[in-house]
């Protein structure tokens, strides 16, 4: 089988073709997915991406899904994982109720503060980690167990994607050098205000912030609009991709890597020529 992992970060498997904007490992090919997937039509049996779609504006996200459709073979499977807006909203409301019901409980207040951050921090932050990272790093944070239950062990350094290779360190060092050189040039031209604007704009374009959020209704509608069918919500350990759990992409130590996720799968129908042609025309228009 030919398998494609889009925006893989540090979570990838050697039996897959792994692509990302910045390669964290020599096994990953650098691809700017905003410009389209550089693969032939109908070349993969399955395409997978996890916590990628929400980092694109809705129109760009739809183009990515259409490109996934294009590179899939008929009957091929697309598996998408995104932060679950419905689940986050329900958890937020629950912490509101708990905080009102126990106004003197510091843990209830802390849980409510965290869920507020889950809703908005990754959309509004102007620095890496935003307001979430300091809470996660502080051993005195009173609700670390709650935060861990929301985000999973991986973000606390217990997952494979937390490993930094020599290759990734060198890449990051080169990127920092370029960033500092550009920042110095902007400062010379436009002063400190221009420097701050440049750094914030660069950060917001770097892929960390969330540009949109999805729930099971909106994601299904978007998948359907680009031609997918047999769309269904699945669990982290369920998939139509043969032996998917063997690759340890959505699960770590028999638990979900990202517990806050919505997992959804869909397939490309056998009769899909008209949609493929429309996708090619749209890509040509974008390129032009």
């Amino acid at each position: 089988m030919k398998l494609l992992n889009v925006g893989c970060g540090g979570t990838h498997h050697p039996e897959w073709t792994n692509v990302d904007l910045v390669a964290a490992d020599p096994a990953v090919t650098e691809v700017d997915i905003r410009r389209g997937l550089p693969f032939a039509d109908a070349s993969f049996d399955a395409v997978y991406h996890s916590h990628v779609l929400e980092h694109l504006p809705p129109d760009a996200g739809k183009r990515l899904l259409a490109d996934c459709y294009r590179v899939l073979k008929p009957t091929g499977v697309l598996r998408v994982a995104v932060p679950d807006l419905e689940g986050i909203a329900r958890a937020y409301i629950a912490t509101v109720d708990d905080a009102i019901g126990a106004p003197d409980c510091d843990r209830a207040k802390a849980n409510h503060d965290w869920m507020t951050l889950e809703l908005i921090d990754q959309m509004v932050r102007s620095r890496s980690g935003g307001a979430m990272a300091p809470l996660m790093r502080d051993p005195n944070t009173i609700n670390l167990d709650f935060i861990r239950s929301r985000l999973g062990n991986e973000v606390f350094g217990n997952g494979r994607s937390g490993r930094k290779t020599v290759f990734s360190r060198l890449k990051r060092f080169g990127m920092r050098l370029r960033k500092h050189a550009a920042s110095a040039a902007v400062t010379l031209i436009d002063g400190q205000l221009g420097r701050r604007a440049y750094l914030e704009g660069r950060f917001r374009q770097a892929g960390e912030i969330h540009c949109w959020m999805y729930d099971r209704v909106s994601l299904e509608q978007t998948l359907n609009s680009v031609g997918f069918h047999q769309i269904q919500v699945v669990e982290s350990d369920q998939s139509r991709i043969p032996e998917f759990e063997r690759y340890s992409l959505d699960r770590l130590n028999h638990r979900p890597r990202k517990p806050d996720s919505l997992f959804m799968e869909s397939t490309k129908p056998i009769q899909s020529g008209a949609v493929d042609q429309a996708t090619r025309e749209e890509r040509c228009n974008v390129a032009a």
Side-chain angles (χ1 to χ4, degrees), residues 141-159:
T141 298
I142 64 173
N143 63 334
L144 276 178
D145 54 342
F146 177 78
I147 297 173
R148 192 183 298 270
S149 74
R150 293 292 310 161
L151 302 184
N153 288 330
E154 186 177 61
V155 298
F156 287 86
N158 297 331

Side-chain angles (χ1 to χ4, degrees), residues 148 153 236 245 250-259:
R148 192 183 298 270
N153 288 330
S236 63
E245 191 164 357
D250 278 337
R251 291 177 68 79
L252 178 68
N253 298 327
H254 308 291
R255 295 180 179 179
R257 282 184 178 275
K258 300 179 184 292

Side-chain angles (χ1 to χ4, degrees), residues 2-228:
K2 290 196 65 177
L3 307 165
L4 175 62
N5 184 354
V6 177
C8 63
T11 304
H12 48 81
H13 191 279
E15 294 181 34
W16 292 64
T17 297
N18 303 288
V19 301
D20 204 356
L21 180 63
V22 177
D25 190 281
V28 178
T29 301
E30 290 194 348
V31 171
D32 187 347
I33 61 174
R34 296 167 296 188
R35 299 178 178 273
L37 299 174
F39 304 106
D41 295 1
S43 52
F44 291 96
D45 298 283
V47 176
Y48 163 82
H49 48 84
S50 173
H51 288 240
V52 172
L53 197 63
E54 70 275 11
H55 294 280
L56 300 171
D59 56 343
K62 186 174 179 179
R63 287 197 298 272
L64 173 61
L65 293 176
D67 221 19
C68 292
Y69 182 99
R70 178 187 63 80
V71 303
L72 273 171
K73 299 175 183 178
T75 74
V77 177
L78 172 66
R79 181 181 179 89
V80 179
V82 292
D84 184 7
L85 176 58
E86 177 188 3
I88 294 171
R90 291 183 186 277
Y92 165 75
I93 294 298
T95 62
V96 170
D97 292 339
D98 290 344
I100 292 173
D104 297 324
C105 178
D106 290 339
R107 186 174 294 270
K109 293 177 183 176
N111 290 347
H112 170 258
D113 290 345
W114 177 262
M115 290 310 308
T116 303
L117 291 178
E118 265 200 57
L119 271 173
I120 65 173
D121 183 58
Q122 281 198 260
M123 288 185 267
V124 301
R125 66 176 55 167
S126 58
R127 66 184 188 277
S128 185
M132 299 171 79
L135 286 174
M136 294 161 55
R137 288 194 297 260
D138 186 354
N140 296 316
T141 298
I142 64 173
N143 63 334
L144 276 178
D145 54 342
F146 177 78
I147 297 173
R148 192 183 298 270
S149 74
R150 293 292 310 161
L151 302 184
N153 288 330
E154 186 177 61
V155 298
F156 287 86
N158 297 331
R160 182 174 63 195
S161 66
R163 179 175 57 90
K164 287 184 172 63
T165 64
V166 173
F167 178 84
S168 66
R169 291 192 185 100
L170 289 172
K171 293 283 293 185
R172 290 180 183 278
F173 178 70
M175 291 171 64
R176 284 198 298 270
L177 285 179
R178 291 194 297 272
K179 176 182 174 182
H180 290 319
S183 175
V186 171
T187 304
L188 285 173
I189 297 170
D190 202 22
Q192 289 299 321
L193 183 62
R195 176 181 178 275
R196 287 195 295 271
Y198 163 75
L199 291 175
E200 181 171 343
R202 181 186 174 97
F203 169 76
R204 294 188 66 84
Q205 292 296 316
E208 181 175 326
I209 66 165
H210 289 174
C211 297
W212 201 248
M213 294 286 280
Y214 295 86
D215 55 33
R216 52 184 167 159
V217 174
S218 59
L219 185 54
E220 179 178 1
Q221 290 174 338
T222 306
L223 288 166
N224 183 263
S225 72
V226 299
F228 285 102

